[in-house]
Amino acid sequence: MKGAFNKASDMVGGMVGLAAASTAGGRSTGAFLMNAVVGNLYEVQAAKAALERSRSEAVRNFALKMIDDHTTAAHQLHSALRMNETKDVEPPPQELDDRHSGMIRHLIEASDEDFDSRYLDQQAMAHQETATLLKTYADEGENPQLRSWATSSLPVVERHLEMVRQIKSH
């Protein structure tokens, strides 16, 4: 019963995140940065949980890719924040928000039988949210340096979303 509640909670949170990513959360620099940084942190933490818990080679390989790509994205974002065009931008948070902390907790609490499905469902939702966030900011964001970062990051996130869909279909 708790597993079904956690899955439903993740889905509702994902819908809220998706709505925020396509509105002010994807246009304002502060909200964009918070969502982008927290998203990268979540991806790395969730992938580490998958490496510990998953029984599937495809899921474990995907998790390794998430760690590599989202660590790279975080480094690139921090580099963009050191540019002159971002000198007045507030530093982003360095920890998960409550929603993403709850998603990690739900992964940890998932039964062994449900773990891969829960992880992949979360990944599909998180990557859809991030793709929307990046596209919205790339098209309408306030800061040119961060718009450039969003534009260059979007194809990577879209590839991740396609990878999740392929793994889920097998």
Side-chain angles (χ1 to χ4, degrees):
M1 184 69 163
K2 185 175 187 175
F5 176 78
N6 286 350
K7 184 173 182 170
S9 175
D10 290 346
M11 289 177 61
V12 169
M15 288 186 283
V16 169
L18 189 58
S22 64
T23 58
R27 291 182 186 96
S28 124
T29 297
F32 169 75
L33 274 176
M34 185 198 73
N35 287 310
V37 168
V38 167
N40 276 331
L41 292 169
Y42 158 78
E43 287 297 339
V44 171
Q45 288 185 26
K48 287 179 180 177
L51 288 177
E52 290 178 19
R53 302 265 325 268
S54 180
R55 298 176 181 169
S56 163
E57 184 177 347
V59 170
R60 293 174 58 78
N61 287 337
F62 177 78
L64 287 170
K65 179 90 171 133
M66 293 308 94
I67 291 170
D68 288 346
D69 288 356
H70 286 280
T71 300
T72 298
H75 289 301
Q76 291 170 341
L77 180 56
H78 288 295
S79 292
L81 289 171
R82 288 193 290 272
M83 301 298 217
N84 196 40
E85 292 105 342
T86 58
K87 67 179 189 253
D88 296 326
V89 174
E90 290 285 322
Q94 296 304 310
E95 60 186 32
L96 294 178
D97 60 12
D98 290 343
R99 180 169 68 95
H100 288 90
S101 293
M103 291 168 67
I104 295 295
R105 187 177 64 256
H106 296 163
L107 282 177
I108 292 167
E109 292 173 353
S111 68
D112 289 343
E113 296 77 29
D114 292 338
F115 180 84
D116 287 346
S117 174
R118 175 77 45 84
Y119 175 68
L120 292 172
D121 287 347
Q122 283 189 9
Q123 289 301 296
M125 181 180 56
H127 282 90
Q128 184 61 57
E129 179 182 333
T130 300
T132 300
L133 177 74
L134 294 170
K135 176 147 183 36
T136 301
Y137 198 85
D139 291 345
E140 303 173 35
E142 303 165 333
N143 184 283
Q145 185 68 36
L146 296 176
R147 277 198 320 264
S148 175
W149 179 82
T151 299
S152 67
S153 298
L154 181 58
V156 176
V157 172
E158 289 172 334
R159 281 193 299 273
H160 293 170
L161 187 54
E162 185 55 35
M163 290 170 70
V164 171
R165 289 176 178 149
Q166 288 177 2
I167 295 168
K168 285 179 75 165
S169 71
H170 287 98

